[in-house]
């Protein structure tokens, strides 16, 4: 898993600050993510890791600093922003599948309406993606008829259907029953090994250990540590990271 | 009670005219209300302010005053609302095309007033759609318009349809105000004509008129109940 980074980084955050009212949720955060790199973001709740993830496709606007994606600063709004978002896949904690559309329609909506692909071609590719995440036989059902794990795998397929340059995962397994976490992590692991650039906010330390190139530890809006997983878990440098790890790894 | 039979044609004429106003006003209010609703939820602040001002003005002004503004304000501005003489429509709804403009004035007032309520009914439906749906659509790269069209509005419709029906029922009843301007000859004006000019007893006439309104509103209410039940099953 070494040496995956080639050329200029795909995602660069430089001195990013964001406040929610008086709360400083992102405190001078700088980070760069190379092409093909898998970066796992961990930290206590309220540390700003979800906000960081959502800032990368501007679901959360920032107050100062710059974010560039593929060499371009994030557009402020309108069509250029929509175009950027179409190149960055996003997977949410609560799945957010379109409730009024079938599984296959969920996966083909973006390609047909945003990329203007032919419906037949989009369906064919959609089915292939559903097959890849193991849900092709549920294509005509509605989201509410699927289990949480299945819905989240559909959400990953929906994001992949746009052929994104990077994927953002905002706590993708936190809303799942424990027995369904594995099936979602399996899909993510296979994506990672295929070379997808990924930013993953998660509490799954196993995934961080075996799939990440780097682990980012955040606390109180600050990026506290940035290290390869083996090094981070064996030898956290900061007191806060040691404290965090001792709390989650002792059970 | 003979008046109901003897003057059935007058009741029927009034009923037909009220039905015309209501059909046209409902179409107009739904269209205008949808536009105002889009303004109110738009990401552009000046457009949002425009939509909000519209709702604040027309939702909070008495309909009578809006009607006075239409009936006396428009002529003062030199307009007979001739833009409503829409070619094909005015052959279906003959009053749209007449030289007496009061049908058109009443229609404009009713549309402007009701659109504010339509906007709020639609917007409450939009707010009932979980925020994550629009967020997921945005993250796929759908534009604001596509987001509304393919993701938010199809789902908001379910939550909007019942309050929207109530707005239209209220509008049908509000249309009676047009009659008391003595200008249109709709169902409510029928009372004036039969009791005042022709000396019939009030109660039978009022019963006839009430039945006329109930014929329009009760089926609509029943339809709404059906839709609501069907949705309950679908969930």
């Amino acid at each position: 898993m070494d040496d995956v980074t080639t050329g200029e980084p795909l995602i660069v955050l430089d001195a990013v600050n964001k406040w929610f009212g008086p709360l400083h949720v992102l405190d001078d955060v700088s980070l760069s993510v190379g092409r093909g790199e898998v970066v796992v973001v961990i930290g206590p709740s309220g540390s700003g890791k979800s906000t960081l993830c959502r800032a990368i496709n501007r679901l959360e606007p920032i107050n100062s600093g710059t974010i560039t994606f593929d060499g371009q600063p994030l557009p402020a709004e309108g069509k250029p922003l929509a175009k950027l978002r179409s190149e960055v896949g996003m997977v949410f904690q609560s799945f957010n599948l379109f409730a009024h559309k079938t599984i296959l329609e969920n996966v083909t909506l973006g390609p047909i309406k945003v990329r203007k692909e032919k419906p037949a071609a989009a369906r064919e590719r959609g089915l292939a993606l559903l097959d890849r995440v193991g849900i092709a036989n549920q294509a005509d059902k509605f989201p509410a008829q699927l289990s949480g794990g299945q819905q989240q795998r559909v959400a990953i397929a929906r994001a992949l259907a746009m052929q994104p340059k990077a994927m953002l995962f905002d706590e993708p397994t936190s809303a799942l029953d424990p027995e369904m976490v594995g099936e979602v992590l399996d899909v993510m692991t296979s994506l990672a090994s295929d070379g997808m650039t990924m930013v993953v906010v998660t509490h799954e330390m196993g995934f961080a250990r075996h799939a990440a190139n780097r682990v980012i530890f955040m606390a109180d809006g600050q990026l506290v540590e940035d290290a390869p997983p083996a090094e981070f878990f064996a030898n956290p440098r900061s007191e806060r990271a040691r404290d965090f790890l001792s709390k989650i790894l002792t059970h | 009670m003979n008046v109901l039979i003897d003057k059935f044609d007058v009741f029927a004429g009034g009923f037909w005219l009220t039905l015309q106003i209501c059909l046209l006003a409902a179409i107009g209010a739904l269209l205008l209300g949808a536009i105002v609703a889009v303004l109110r939820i738009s990401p552009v602040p000046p457009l949002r302010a425009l939509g909000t001002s519209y709702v604040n003005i027309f939702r909070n002004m008495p309909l009578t005053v809006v009607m006075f503004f239409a009936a006396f304000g428009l002529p003062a501005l030199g307009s007979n609302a001739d833009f409503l003489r829409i070619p094909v429509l005015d052959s279906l709804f003959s009053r749209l095309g007449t030289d007496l403009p009061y049908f058109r004035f009443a229609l404009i007032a009713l549309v402007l007033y009701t659109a504010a309520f339509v906007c709020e009914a639609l917007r409450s439906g939009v707010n009932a759609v979980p925020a994550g749906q629009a967020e997921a659509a945005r993250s796929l790269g759908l534009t604001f318009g596509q987001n509304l069209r393919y993701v938010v509005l199809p789902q908001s419709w379910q939550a909007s349809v019942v309050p929207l029906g109530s707005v239209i029922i209220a509008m049908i009843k509000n249309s009676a105000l047009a009659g008391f301007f003595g200008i249109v000859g709709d169902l409510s004006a029928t009372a004036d004509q039969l009791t005042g000019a022709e000396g019939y007893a009030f109660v039978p006439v009022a019963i006839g008129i009430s039945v006329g309104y109930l014929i329009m509103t009760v089926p609509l209410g029943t339809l709404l109940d059906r839709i609501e039940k069907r949705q309950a099953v679908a969930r």
Side-chain angles (χ1 to χ4, degrees):
Chain A
M1 252 177 278
D2 300 63
D3 302 329
V4 284
T5 312
T6 49
E8 61 167 19
L10 186 60
I11 304 167
V12 180
L13 288 79
D14 186 28
V16 169
N17 280 286
K18 179 173 178 70
W19 284 267
F20 283 131
L23 187 66
H24 203 170
V25 276
L26 292 179
D27 185 353
D28 205 29
V29 172
S30 297
L31 169 70
S32 79
V33 180
R35 288 165 206 277
E37 208 176 12
V38 177
V39 172
V40 167
V41 185
I42 63 174
S45 58
S47 59
K49 52 195 194 307
S50 274
T51 309
L52 174 78
C53 184
R54 292 163 56 86
I56 294 172
N57 67 355
R58 216 178 146 80
L59 283 180
E60 298 286 356
I62 55 174
N63 296 111
S64 72
T66 56
I67 301 178
T68 55
F69 182 83
D70 203 9
Q72 302 290 323
L74 291 198
E77 56 190 36
K79 290 233 161 67
L81 180 58
K83 181 167 187 306
L84 172 117
R85 285 175 173 152
S86 74
E87 294 173 351
V88 185
M90 176 116 192
V91 176
F92 300 87
Q93 181 176 349
S94 48
F95 328 136
N96 295 348
L97 294 182
F98 304 130
H100 62 306
K101 294 198 174 289
T102 65
I103 297 308
L104 184 58
E105 287 168 349
N106 262 276
V107 177
T108 55
L109 182 74
I112 293 173
K113 299 302 176 191
V114 178
R115 295 257 193 266
K116 314 290 181 200
E117 287 180 24
K118 292 216 164 59
R123 270 196 296 276
E124 195 175 319
R125 216 155 47 74
L127 280 171
L129 280 165
L130 287 176
D131 191 43
R132 175 172 176 189
V133 299
I135 330 208
N137 55 345
Q138 319 266 16
D140 295 322
K141 290 190 179 170
F142 284 89
Q145 295 170 289
L146 269 58
S147 74
Q150 290 172 325
Q151 288 192 51
Q152 195 60 300
R153 285 184 280 151
V154 174
I156 294 173
R158 175 175 70 178
L160 289 176
M162 299 301 288
Q163 297 169 311
K165 293 175 181 164
M167 291 276 285
L168 308 173
F169 294 82
D170 186 7
E171 301 205 25
T173 57
S174 298
L176 295 177
D177 289 339
E179 80 269 23
M180 293 170 182
V181 169
E183 63 195 55
V184 172
L185 291 180
D186 285 346
V187 171
M188 290 168 61
T189 306
S190 99
L191 257 185
S193 55
D194 284 356
M196 175 61 77
T197 307
M198 294 164 63
V199 175
V200 184
V201 175
T202 187
H203 294 294
E204 295 298 330
M205 296 305 142
F207 178 81
R209 271 181 205 277
H210 73 252
N213 301 109
R214 277 156 66 203
V215 172
I216 304 286
F217 176 73
M218 288 189 71
D220 302 323
Q222 290 169 345
L223 198 158
V224 178
E225 287 201 38
D226 179 348
E231 190 183 320
F232 174 79
F233 286 108
N235 224 343
R237 288 190 301 269
S238 69
E239 183 57 41
R240 274 189 288 190
R242 270 197 295 277
D243 184 49
F244 178 76
L245 287 177
S246 75
K247 279 177 183 150
I248 58 163
L249 294 180
T250 50
H251 291 288
Chain B
M1 293 296 269
N2 280 345
V3 61
L4 295 183
I5 296 153
D6 296 346
K7 293 292 175 181
F8 181 77
D9 57 329
V10 180
F11 284 108
F15 178 84
W16 170 228
L17 199 71
T18 290
L19 192 62
Q20 285 189 42
I21 292 189
C22 291
L23 278 175
L24 289 169
I27 295 168
L30 287 173
L31 288 176
L32 182 60
I35 293 169
V36 179
V38 171
L39 291 180
R40 275 208 81 173
I41 58 176
S42 122
V44 186
L47 295 182
R48 265 206 310 273
L50 186 65
T52 307
S53 312
Y54 181 93
V55 170
N56 279 336
I57 291 170
F58 285 101
R59 190 171 58 166
N60 297 317
M61 203 152 75
L63 176 57
T64 322
V65 177
V66 181
M67 289 219 165
F68 271 118
F69 265 113
F72 301 116
L74 283 174
L77 291 171
S79 167
N80 271 342
D82 287 328
F83 60 88
L84 282 178
R85 297 184 176 203
I86 304 160
V88 181
L89 268 185
D90 68 359
S91 57
L92 273 172
F93 302 93
S94 54
R95 288 291 192 106
L96 271 184
T98 54
D99 286 336
L100 267 180
Y102 293 108
F103 180 89
R104 296 194 292 271
F105 290 160
L107 189 59
I108 288 172
L110 212 49
V111 165
L112 288 176
Y113 179 81
T114 309
F117 294 89
V118 167
C119 162
E120 293 302 276
L122 289 173
R123 211 167 57 89
S124 74
V126 167
N127 288 339
V129 178
Q133 296 284 308
E135 237 172 38
R138 270 189 284 158
S139 78
L140 282 180
L142 270 70
T143 60
F144 174 72
Q146 290 176 321
N147 196 337
L148 278 183
R149 190 163 151 210
Y150 300 118
V151 176
V152 176
L153 288 183
Q155 297 187 70
S156 75
W157 178 243
Q158 288 201 335
S160 293
V161 65
V162 172
L164 217 46
S166 301
V167 167
I168 298 304
I169 288 176
M171 188 205 73
I172 293 172
K173 298 187 295 176
N174 285 337
S175 76
L177 262 184
F180 290 106
F181 280 77
I183 47 181
V184 182
D186 75 321
L187 190 53
S188 69
T190 307
D192 239 13
Q193 184 194 333
L194 291 178
T195 57
E198 303 189 25
Y200 284 97
F202 175 74
V203 170
V205 171
I207 290 175
I209 287 168
S210 305
V211 169
Y213 280 106
L214 292 178
I215 289 173
M216 286 181 265
T217 51
V218 169
L220 192 51
T222 312
L223 179 70
L224 289 176
D225 285 348
R226 285 249 178 112
I227 293 174
E228 200 176 8
K229 286 213 183 82
R230 217 180 51 197
Q231 284 177 5
V233 174
R235 269 164 201 277

